[in-house]
Amino acid sequence: MKPYYDDGRGIVIYHGDCREILPHVKADAVVTDPPYGTGERLRADGEFARTRQAWDEWDTSWRNLVNLDSLGEKLPAAVFVPQPRLAQAFAEFGDVDRLAAWVLPNPTRRQHVSPSYGWQPIALCGARHLHSARESDWMQAPNNFAKHDHPHRKPVEVLRWLTRITTLLSHTILDPFAGSGTTLVAAKLE
């Protein structure tokens, strides 16, 4: 499989359907924010318009396509989960050991939508393999993105925190959904 980008120093990007790519990629941990609701766009009247496509629906099947570690177990993972999908994530991932949270000091309230979520759940899977016991299970960081930005963009400092929890310095981090590349930036900075 040929990478879309390879800097020769460990940063490799594949472009395509992750369900076809994941079985061929080796890593030490997963840090990711699967797509959900990115088809929502803010209209001029302040309401959200849905323009969802099939790839934009919450789906957990990718977790079983990630290569296993050297002991034959699923890789440790930090996975952002939409709050209404927490029970589904616990049931379908099968290895959620802990729940972490990104706490937003400035949650965005959507017009005519309640409640205004002030935290984002993160499923920590395979926690017995997690590496940083010194890290808290929650992090407070503002979401300083403009309303017209990607609706689920995450701050780099939150992804840096998750890379510290899930990996050691020499480990390879896998993000099956890459999005705007925030996990890539966080991994490079750590």
Side-chain angles (χ1 to χ4, degrees), residues 43-63:
R43 297 188 320 221
D45 64 1
E47 295 291 324
F48 277 84
R50 292 185 179 261
T51 58
R52 269 198 196 145
Q53 306 209 2
W55 57 264
D56 193 28
E57 297 299 324
W58 175 252
D59 178 9
T60 60
S61 64
W62 63 270
R63 180 77 172 128

Side-chain angles (χ1 to χ4, degrees), residues 13-175:
I13 301 172
Y14 293 93
H15 183 258
D17 186 330
C18 76
R19 295 170 294 189
E20 296 170 7
I21 297 169
L22 286 174
H24 307 285
V25 177
K26 299 281 187 205
D28 298 300
V30 178
V31 176
T32 193
D33 184 16
Y36 58 92
T38 57
E40 296 176 344
R41 296 292 179 254
L42 189 63
R43 297 188 320 221
D45 64 1
E47 295 291 324
F48 277 84
R50 292 185 179 261
T51 58
R52 269 198 196 145
Q53 306 209 2
W55 57 264
D56 193 28
E57 297 299 324
W58 175 252
D59 178 9
T60 60
S61 64
W62 63 270
R63 180 77 172 128
N64 293 322
L65 298 172
V66 174
N67 274 310
L68 303 176
D69 69 11
S70 60
L71 300 174
E73 297 181 8
K74 289 182 181 178
L75 296 179
V79 183
F80 285 92
V81 179
Q83 289 184 14
R85 300 290 188 193
L86 278 172
Q88 181 184 2
F90 273 82
E92 293 179 6
F93 287 160
D95 63 342
V96 178
D97 296 313
R98 283 187 358 225
L99 194 60
W102 166 37
V103 179
L104 291 84
N106 59 337
T108 303
R109 183 172 177 83
R110 293 183 180 176
Q111 194 172 1
H112 307 298
V113 177
S114 182
S116 176
Y117 294 119
W119 68 287
Q120 171 77 54
I122 303 157
L124 297 179
C125 306
R128 64 193 172 283
H129 299 297
L130 298 179
H131 296 287
S132 184
R134 296 180 304 249
E135 296 288 339
S136 172
D137 281 350
W138 65 275
M139 173 179 237
Q140 185 170 353
N143 186 358
N144 294 326
F145 306 114
K147 286 184 180 180
H148 62 276
D149 279 350
H150 186 293
H152 299 289
R153 191 169 162 191
K154 307 297 186 283
V156 172
E157 58 266 27
V158 172
L159 276 299
R160 288 182 76 180
W161 163 63
L162 293 174
T163 61
R164 287 192 302 272
I165 290 173
T166 57
T167 63
L168 297 173
L169 190 58
S170 63
H171 281 175
T172 300
I173 298 171
L174 171 64
D175 183 351

Side-chain angles (χ1 to χ4, degrees), residues 5-18:
Y5 172 85
D6 186 344
D7 76 344
R9 296 176 290 166
I11 297 175
V12 180
I13 301 172
Y14 293 93
H15 183 258
D17 186 330
C18 76

